[in-house]
Amino acid sequence: MNSLKNTTEFLHIGNKILKWYDKNARDLPFRNTKDPYKIWICEIVFQQTRIAQGLGHYNRFVERFPDVKTLSEADENEVILYWKGLGYYSRAINIHKAAKQIMNDFGGKFPSDYDDILKLKGVGKYTAAAVSSICFGGKKPAVDGNFHRVLSRIFADDFDITQSTAFTYFSELAFLIMPENVGDFNQAMMDLGSEICKPKNPNCTECPVNEDCIAFSLDKTSQFPVKTKKVKVENLSLKYYFVHRNGQFLIQQRGDDFIWKKLFEFLPEVPSELSPFIKNVKTLNHKLTHRNLTIEIFDTEIDSEAVWKALIKEKKYIISDFEDSQNRSFPKPLENYIQNTLKD
């Protein structure tokens, strides 16, 4: 790659991609604005969520929190609630903190400089490049999985995308084909990677740059990008007690460490004297990105009013019911348990 630096030989590729984008850009609501707040939110939402699945969530979120000030002043639990269904709740916690940063450090005005955007909580190089290029004319490529895939195939480049230097490496490759309009180019690469240059079964015959794609000419698109490092999947066991009486049940809020940050959960442990009230146990399996969870939920029905009163008096648990639980964010398996157990 180093020998290809400082050349205009490949700029026609980027221009072809832009021309294709002009005719084929997806009609998305956030494409009709240059509001950096909304572009930022959409970039965070769709980091781990496909557009078809996340679009409704995005619309509801920006309707409730239409600007930085509204988001910064909201209660954290409400922000998490409006993130419900998107998963990876640390993203919601981070954007709430970032909104406060913008109010405190930038006078409530979304920063326009790439380096300043990068200072925001939860914002990485990709998001900073996307927001700065789309909204402020920044000149950095928003390198993500789409860039890895498209560029590695165009150049038949076997650089391992799991390497720590992958962002820098593919940024330099992107500069080789990147036209002047970087904002549209970044969005074009997103669409090309999502709609044409797919991970499996790419639509190469419809690709605007198939004549320039070395991997296509060699019939080796399936071999790129190269990814050698396998992510180790951890097996994790969790135990919960669903302590309930007359439609009410006890919960607590998780901390901001480990998984499911700040979400609500059942009790992970109970006093030994509650053992006689355990009716049965249900085992659930749930998969996270790098973890396989085995979750045991002990149905603990307190049929003694005295024991119930003593329990809630002694411990600082939150008393919830089905209606209340709908206004809180629980991990998906616990949310499903509540639905299946309590909903009429």
Side-chain angles (χ1 to χ4, degrees), residues 82-148:
Y82 272 82
W83 203 262
K84 193 173 184 177
L86 287 170
Y88 301 94
Y89 285 89
S90 60
R91 293 181 295 169
I93 296 170
N94 285 339
I95 63 173
H96 188 228
K97 291 179 179 178
K100 293 180 180 294
Q101 269 185 274
I102 295 171
M103 296 303 297
N104 294 331
D105 300 344
F106 299 98
K109 186 176 180 180
F110 202 99
S112 59
D113 181 71
Y114 170 85
D115 290 327
D116 285 337
I117 298 173
L118 198 57
K119 294 175 183 177
L120 300 178
K121 183 71 173 178
V123 171
K125 294 177 180 178
Y126 161 77
T127 301
V131 175
S132 66
S133 66
I134 294 170
C135 303
F136 304 109
K139 300 299 182 182
K140 291 184 180 291
V143 174
D144 66 348
N146 292 311
F147 270 75
H148 291 158

Side-chain angles (χ1 to χ4, degrees), residues 93 97 254-258 261-262:
I93 296 170
K97 291 179 179 178
R254 294 181 64 85
D256 57 4
D257 57 339
F258 204 43
K261 297 178 182 180
K262 295 298 184 72

Side-chain angles (χ1 to χ4, degrees), residues 51 54 56 83 127 138 163 293 298 301 331:
I51 286 181
W83 203 262
T127 301
Q163 296 297 313
L293 305 184
F298 293 82
E301 182 177 6

Side-chain angles (χ1 to χ4, degrees), residues 31 146 166 170 322 335:
R31 289 267 169 86
N146 292 311
F170 282 94
F322 180 79
E335 179 183 327

Side-chain angles (χ1 to χ4, degrees), residues 239-241 243 252 266-272 274 315 317:
K239 182 183 292 186
Y240 284 113
Y241 294 85
V243 181
Q252 64 182 30
F266 306 150
L267 308 190
E269 58 184 6
V270 295
S272 58
L274 293 189
K315 302 291 185 179
Y317 301 132

Side-chain angles (χ1 to χ4, degrees), residues 40-173:
W40 167 52
I41 296 298
C42 91
E43 292 297 340
I44 300 298
V45 167
F46 298 118
Q47 278 178 3
Q48 303 286 351
T49 308
R50 288 181 296 177
I51 286 181
Q53 294 177 321
L55 197 54
H57 294 283
Y58 164 80
N59 288 331
R60 286 190 291 274
F61 193 90
V62 296
E63 181 179 357
R64 171 60 188 89
F65 311 110
D67 51 46
V68 171
K69 186 174 186 295
T70 304
L71 179 59
S72 70
E73 294 175 347
D75 180 78
E76 182 182 66
N77 286 331
E78 185 182 14
V79 176
I80 294 173
L81 180 63
Y82 272 82
W83 203 262
K84 193 173 184 177
L86 287 170
Y88 301 94
Y89 285 89
S90 60
R91 293 181 295 169
I93 296 170
N94 285 339
I95 63 173
H96 188 228
K97 291 179 179 178
K100 293 180 180 294
Q101 269 185 274
I102 295 171
M103 296 303 297
N104 294 331
D105 300 344
F106 299 98
K109 186 176 180 180
F110 202 99
S112 59
D113 181 71
Y114 170 85
D115 290 327
D116 285 337
I117 298 173
L118 198 57
K119 294 175 183 177
L120 300 178
K121 183 71 173 178
V123 171
K125 294 177 180 178
Y126 161 77
T127 301
V131 175
S132 66
S133 66
I134 294 170
C135 303
F136 304 109
K139 300 299 182 182
K140 291 184 180 291
V143 174
D144 66 348
N146 292 311
F147 270 75
H148 291 158
R149 194 160 56 252
V150 173
L151 292 170
S152 66
R153 287 172 175 172
I154 288 175
F155 292 104
D157 195 303
D158 61 359
F159 189 91
D160 186 351
I161 65 172
T162 65
Q163 296 297 313
S164 60
T165 55
F167 185 92
T168 299
Y169 185 92
F170 282 94
S171 291
E172 293 185 13
L173 268 188

